[in-house]
Structures are given as C-alpha cells and as structure tokens.
Amino acid sequence: MLFDFSGTLFRIESAESWLRAALEETGTALPEEELARHARDLEEAGALPGGAPPVAVPPELAEAWSARDRTAESHRAAFTGLARHVPLPHPELYDALYARHRQPAAWRPYPDAAEVLGELRRRGIRIAVVSNIGWDLRPVFRAHGLDPLVDAYVLSYEHGTQKPDPRLFRAACDALSLAPHEALMVGDDRRADGGAATVGCRVHLVDHLPVDRRPDALRAVLELFPDRTTPP
C-alpha cells in the first residue's frame, strides 16, 4: 500500500488556527476581526501548505510554485512568497507561519487512519508514504503514534522530483520490495497520485475534506486487500 500524506492520512489545521499559533509564537496580538480577515486572505493566497491552492499564482512565483516540492528551498520560497502577498503587522510572522505548518501539532490524522494502517499491518501488508513535500514529515507520524505502522517514506524533496513523476512511485515499490502491479496508491489528487497508474499501480482516491467531515473514507481500502490471516 502506498499512501499520500496531506489530505489522505493527515489534514493541516485551518488557516485561522495556523495564523493564531504564529501570532502566539511571536507575541503578536490582533483583534479577532483582523485575525479572521488575515486568515481568509492567506487562505485565498494559497499560503498554507496542505491547504487550498492559490486562487492565482503571482508571475514572479510561477517557477517556484511549479517546482515547490522538488527541494526544501523551493518549498519555502513558494509558500513564504505567497504569504508575503498578504500584508501582516510584523515581518517575523512569515517565517513563524512557515515554521508552524511543519510542527506535528498543526496536523491531525483522519479518524480512521490509525485503524486502517494498523489493520493493514496486522494483515502483513507493507506500507509506504509517498508525498509531495519540502520537509521531513516523519516527526508528524511519530508524534501521532503512526510511525511504527509505516515501512518506508518516499518524499519528493529527498528525491528531487514530485508526483506524478513515475520515479517516486517506482522508488516506493522498490522500498517495499514490490512490483508496481502488486501495489495500491491511495491519495486525494487525481493528477499527482493518479500518476501511479503509469507504472502499473492501482489507484484509489479519497476526498480532501476537513477531518470532521471524512470519518471513514480510508476503510474502503481494506476491502481491496482481503484478510487472509484468519483461517476459514
């Protein structure tokens, strides 16, 4: 099993929660109305990694945006660049926002993530996380107790390429000692995660919804891998 990270196993916090944490980190106080307005503007700008995409990418950020998950530097440049298009009261907030989204507390696993990963592990199915990302997400899995259920991480910035590049999916299959036709890719992005089909993997898509609106979508994958560990 190959799983995407953001929007599949985990969901980033809301833009308002994200901004509120950065304000607390920098000791900045804002009236609630102003905080809510800045959060809406940041969300519209697409500045929250794992959140909504930009309504429009500024021309000067087009190159960084298209390659945002290939390197750590591109990822930071793209998202802090988008954030800087929203005027905030203190310049240190932009770095604080980027730092916040990398903290485990900014992410919540979907309600059925632990159950599904645990059941797959019980059935002897190997698991890899294949993510377009510009930083190491392993601490997020460790903090939420899911790291013991993952056999391998294939992260775009560590490979210098991003989904739907077939090299990432091949690397994940190799890490699990599987042929691509033996693997199922579970993700939320038809283009990026659907790229696994080009190397022969099956693909199963879930909706990228808030955690409280998607309680059990991952359980469907258990039906695709019958339990052969229980005697008839």
Side-chain angles (χ1 to χ4, degrees), residues 67-117:
R68 63 192 178 278
D69 295 312
R70 293 179 190 167
T71 68
E73 295 76 16
S74 294
H75 193 270
R76 177 182 282 275
F79 284 103
T80 57
L82 290 170
R84 289 179 189 280
H85 278 263
V86 177
L88 295 177
H90 298 292
E92 63 267 25
L93 279 169
Y94 299 106
D95 287 336
L97 284 169
Y98 189 81
R100 167 64 184 181
H101 100 275
R102 296 176 56 175
Q103 296 175 8
W107 296 89
R108 288 176 61 194
Y110 281 93
D112 55 346
E115 172 195 339
V116 170
L117 294 180

Side-chain angles (χ1 to χ4, degrees), residues 16-27:
E16 187 168 319
S17 173
W18 174 55
L19 177 57
R20 191 180 300 277
L23 290 168
E24 291 175 359
E25 177 67 24
T26 58

Side-chain angles (χ1 to χ4, degrees), residues 45-59:
L48 174 59
V55 173
V57 177

Side-chain angles (χ1 to χ4, degrees), residues 7-152:
T8 300
L9 292 175
F10 283 81
R11 170 82 180 210
I12 190 66
E13 64 188 333
S14 69
E16 187 168 319
S17 173
W18 174 55
L19 177 57
R20 191 180 300 277
L23 290 168
E24 291 175 359
E25 177 67 24
T26 58
T28 305
L30 283 182
E32 286 296 314
E33 183 178 338
E34 189 174 346
L35 187 155
R37 176 171 55 81
H38 285 316
R40 288 193 300 270
D41 290 345
L42 286 164
E43 186 169 27
E44 183 175 322
L48 174 59
V55 173
V57 177
E60 70 274 15
L61 292 175
E63 185 175 352
W65 179 254
S66 67
R68 63 192 178 278
D69 295 312
R70 293 179 190 167
T71 68
E73 295 76 16
S74 294
H75 193 270
R76 177 182 282 275
F79 284 103
T80 57
L82 290 170
R84 289 179 189 280
H85 278 263
V86 177
L88 295 177
H90 298 292
E92 63 267 25
L93 279 169
Y94 299 106
D95 287 336
L97 284 169
Y98 189 81
R100 167 64 184 181
H101 100 275
R102 296 176 56 175
Q103 296 175 8
W107 296 89
R108 288 176 61 194
Y110 281 93
D112 55 346
E115 172 195 339
V116 170
L117 294 180
E119 177 60 18
L120 290 171
R121 171 56 63 91
R122 187 189 71 79
R123 296 181 187 183
I125 295 170
R126 285 161 283 178
I127 295 168
V129 172
V130 188
S131 178
N132 278 353
I133 200 162
W135 48 275
D136 186 3
L137 52 73
R138 294 172 182 87
V140 176
F141 280 76
R142 288 197 291 269
H144 290 278
L146 299 185
D147 180 65
L149 304 176
V150 177
D151 296 288

